[in-house]
Amino acid sequence: VQLQASGGGSVQAGSSLRLSCVASGRTFSNNAMGWFRQAPGKEREFVAGIGWNGGGASYADSVKGRFTISREYGKTTVYLEMNSLKVEDTAVYYCAGGRSAVGLSLRTVASWGQGTQVTVSS
């Protein structure tokens, strides 16, 4: 199973980035997918998740209203549109595939992607 994330980069605060994640090997078309992030010296945290059919999107409070997760129905490509980026969004962002059709948390992740760096400067 491979989850290939892309789209990270270095941007100024207030900018936007779009992350993409493609699953291969095992498809997650019937499973929830989502994004987590880990900043230096901090624990990995949930950012956003979405159900197998593109519904049931959920977000961390810190990104609500700024980030949007999406996927095509039954597909294993998931996107994270990040707007109004803040310095505190700086982290390595990890794509994840879940064990169940809906809901995603650190405890329900089945597979992790390799991570993509997002750096936001003031």
Side-chain angles (χ1 to χ4, degrees):
V1 177
Q2 282 193 327
L3 292 169
Q4 186 71 36
S6 61
S10 297
V11 296
Q12 296 276 327
S15 299
S16 299
L17 282 173
R18 188 191 197 210
L19 306 183
S20 300
C21 174
V22 180
S24 61
R26 168 190 170 182
T27 64
F28 284 92
S29 58
N30 295 320
N31 297 76
M33 295 183 71
W35 295 91
F36 294 75
R37 67 185 182 187
Q38 189 165 17
K42 294 188 177 181
E43 294 185 352
R44 192 169 298 189
E45 63 177 2
F46 172 80
V47 175
I50 192 165
W52 71 280
N53 62 352
S58 60
Y59 300 92
D61 287 343
S62 59
V63 306
K64 279 181 183 176
R66 300 188 297 121
F67 290 11
T68 303
I69 189 170
S70 63
R71 72 187 290 182
E72 295 179 46
Y73 177 91
K75 297 291 183 65
T76 54
T77 302
V78 64
Y79 306 96
L80 186 68
E81 187 74 35
M82 305 186 294
N83 298 317
S84 302
L85 282 162
K86 302 177 180 180
V87 172
E88 51 264 43
D89 294 320
T90 296
V92 177
Y93 283 70
Y94 296 91
C95 176
R99 295 194 184 96
S100 58
V102 295
L104 190 67
S105 70
L106 281 169
R107 293 179 297 174
T108 62
V109 171
S111 293
W112 292 100
Q114 88 285 5
T116 184
Q117 177 71 46
V118 172
T119 303
V120 185
S121 57
S122 59

